[in-house]
Amino acid sequence: MERSSSAPGISRRTFLAMASLAVGSGALAACVPAPASDAVSEAQAPEVLTGKIADIVLRQIGTGVSGVNEIAEQAKADLGFTIQMTALGTDENNQRAITQPGSYDIFDGEYFSLPLVVPSGALQGLDVSRIEAFEKIAPTFTTGKLTEDSVIAQGTAPHKVMFLPERNSTSFAEGMTNWATLIPTIYNADTLGYRPDMVEKVPTSWADLFDPVYRGRTAILDIPSIGIMDAAMVVESAGLMEFGDKGNMTREELDGITDILKEQKALGQFRAFWKTFDESVNLMVSGEVVLQSMWSPAVTAVKAQGIPCVYQPLAEGYRAWGGGIGISSGVEGMELDAAYDYINWWNSGFAGGFVGRQGYYSAIPENARLFMSEAEWDFWYEGKPASEPMVDPFGTELEPEGAVRDGGSFWERMGRVVVWNSVMDEQDYLVQKWNEFIAA
């Protein structure tokens, strides 16, 4: 199928018509859950008054992963109103969501942030009966299991914070209800990256981050909530500690892992501790670091500079993250209808195909497939060798013909998630202990 994103101005109705005619992947269809509620028909969907639609501006705050100008521009072309995106750091995004709900309409956030944001009452519950193709959302978000064989992961797995008992609830429901916190949009499985041209041994386990063969040439992510879980994957894989839940450690567990990290630091195991995307890329490109915590687009950025870099699948599995779109509690009327239209547009195909060419996954993969060529779908989702060079949405060649995606298919990668990004009960103590490690 030819890429459809080159045709601007496709109407929302055309999107939906295309989606209804598309034949979804058999494997995906086999692993989606029964719908929580019947999706509304196009005839029942909210309509914005034609004379007013151009005046609507939805203010979106988010971390920038999916807050891309090209997505906002296409949304305006297809929907007729403006999405005004503001990119913030994770902590700043959460703080603004909680303390200034009147300053935004759309919250583009991560699921692990919800235990902080939802109790504030800043977000309104989303009526899933207004979410088109809700039943096609990857079951990772609704049941916690991508396939029947998947193990429900530790940490803030999205399904644990996906639903509310009622529209204005400030606590989470135990199971599926008609009210959602966020509608998922984008997610990925994270692992360690390495320089294959600069290592004597190919890493196969998270434990390898502590292997003396890499001493002085490793790095770990210096964002406490995420870095501690990468560290826990390493420590547990090395047999140095066991955790009840790597995504929600006790004080005793935090004391133990901090001591181990300080020991490794004293031995000179770490070359650096990075906070930003660019820092991780520069460390790998320069060769200062050969094995480290990485994000998928950072690996891509290294490769784009002609430097070999592998996002290595490891024996124990992946740490994952997921994001979605929510609506501020004060949004109502025409703006609320527009916000639902925007959410439905996001998962109707264009945006999912756009981020799919960067290596991220869509909440409704079969819709994203409509906006990817067969070669792109086969490489990014099916794990097949590239039948042509893989190019990102900005025109940069990422992979040559014949390359295979690190970790394989969507089901192999997202089906092996061990822990999700989390906010722990002992979050303040975690930050204190992490800072103690960094300062040691």
Side-chain angles (χ1 to χ4, degrees):
M1 179 179 295
E2 291 300 316
R3 186 183 309 163
S4 303
S5 57
S6 59
I10 298 174
S11 73
R12 180 167 168 269
R13 292 179 184 274
T14 302
F15 266 78
L16 297 169
M18 291 173 66
S20 67
L21 292 172
V23 179
S25 165
L28 278 170
C31 67
V32 295
S37 60
D38 293 332
V40 296
S41 69
E42 172 65 2
Q44 296 170 314
E47 294 291 343
V48 181
L49 296 176
T50 304
K52 302 287 187 179
I53 192 169
D55 297 332
I56 293 175
V57 177
L58 295 182
R59 302 160 298 166
Q60 174 176 311
I61 59 171
T63 60
V65 175
S66 55
V68 180
N69 288 335
E70 286 80 358
I71 291 177
E73 291 166 2
Q74 190 67 42
K76 182 174 183 178
D78 293 332
L79 296 171
F81 53 81
T82 299
I83 306 297
Q84 185 182 82
M85 294 179 172
T86 300
L88 305 169
T90 298
D91 290 342
E92 187 181 2
N93 196 44
N94 293 340
Q95 183 179 23
R96 182 162 169 185
I98 294 167
T99 62
Q100 302 178 55
S103 71
Y104 64 92
D105 306 300
I106 301 293
F107 173 66
D108 177 16
E110 293 185 55
Y111 279 88
F112 85 93
S113 299
L114 292 181
L116 298 176
V117 178
V118 166
S120 72
L123 302 179
Q124 60 180 276
L126 303 177
D127 183 353
V128 300
S129 70
R130 297 183 68 174
I131 305 302
E132 293 150 4
F134 184 83
E135 74 279 2
K136 295 182 180 180
I137 289 174
T140 298
F141 294 94
T142 53
T143 69
K145 300 182 69 171
L146 181 62
T147 69
E148 290 184 1
D149 296 330
S150 297
V151 175
I152 293 180
Q154 296 178 356
T156 308
H159 76 287
K160 298 176 183 177
V161 293
M162 176 77 176
F163 297 100
L164 302 171
E166 303 290 343
R167 182 176 184 270
N168 296 317
S169 298
T170 55
S171 59
F172 303 107
E174 291 294 327
M176 296 175 67
T177 72
N178 197 56
W179 301 101
T181 52
L182 305 178
I183 299 302
T185 53
I186 184 172
Y187 51 105
N188 212 342
D190 286 349
T191 183
L192 299 177
Y194 81 100
R195 282 282 299 268
D197 59 327
M198 295 186 69
V199 300
E200 300 81 7
K201 171 190 170 185
V202 174
T204 58
S205 166
W206 283 86
D208 286 326
L209 198 73
F210 283 180
D211 192 322
V213 73
Y214 306 112
R215 182 160 293 162
R217 299 185 296 165
T218 72
I220 197 165
L221 172 61
D222 185 15
I223 297 176
S225 296
I226 306 174
I228 195 69
M229 283 190 291
D230 279 358
M233 292 289 286
V234 176
V235 166
E236 194 169 69
S237 300
L240 300 176
M241 275 188 73
E242 290 186 3
F243 301 90
D245 183 344
K246 290 183 286 295
N248 196 20
M249 300 178 201
T250 65
R251 284 193 169 220
E252 292 74 19
E253 289 170 337
L254 289 168
D255 288 340
I257 194 171
T258 302
D259 289 342
I260 292 170
L261 286 169
K262 289 164 69 174
E263 290 171 4
Q264 290 294 322
K265 186 177 182 182
L267 290 170
Q269 188 68 20
F270 304 110
R271 170 65 182 86
F273 309 98
W274 61 266
K275 287 182 177 290
T276 69
F277 173 96
D278 289 339
E279 287 175 333
S280 70
V281 172
N282 293 338
L283 286 168
M284 199 63 95
V285 169
S286 69
E288 292 180 70
V289 165
V290 299
L291 177 65
Q292 66 171 349
S293 301
M294 289 196 82
W295 295 331
S296 180
V299 174
T300 298
V302 173
K303 290 180 178 180
Q305 296 188 44
I307 303 296
C309 190
V310 175
Y311 210 37
Q312 181 69 357
L314 301 171
E316 299 82 13
Y318 295 87
R319 173 184 54 76
W321 59 272
I325 294 176
I327 301 176
S328 180
S329 57
V331 179
E332 56 186 11
M334 289 173 53
E335 285 74 19
L336 181 59
D337 289 345
Y340 273 103
D341 278 355
Y342 175 59
I343 291 173
N344 287 323
W345 176 87
W346 219 105
N347 280 331
S348 64
F350 173 84
F354 189 98
V355 300
R357 287 188 287 279
Q358 295 174 289
Y360 298 124
Y361 295 123
S362 166
I364 305 181
E366 64 184 86
N367 284 357
R369 185 176 188 175
L370 297 170
F371 288 80
M372 302 175 77
S373 69
E374 285 302 313
E376 290 168 339
W377 173 265
D378 286 347
F379 177 81
W380 292 112
Y381 275 87
E382 299 286 353
K384 297 177 181 178
S387 59
E388 61 188 37
M390 289 294 104
V391 179
D392 74 8
F394 311 104
T396 301
E397 182 175 322
L398 303 180
E399 299 284 359
E401 183 177 346
V404 176
R405 181 171 190 176
D406 300 332
S409 73
F410 169 69
W411 299 274
E412 291 171 318
R413 298 175 92 253
M414 289 309 301
R416 296 187 61 244
V417 171
V418 177
V419 65
W420 288 83
N421 285 0
S422 301
V423 171
M424 301 187 188
D425 292 340
E426 294 288 353
Q427 186 69 15
D428 291 343
Y429 192 65
L430 155 63
V431 173
Q432 175 188 327
K433 298 303 289 186
W434 183 265
N435 290 338
E436 181 182 309
F437 154 58
I438 295 297

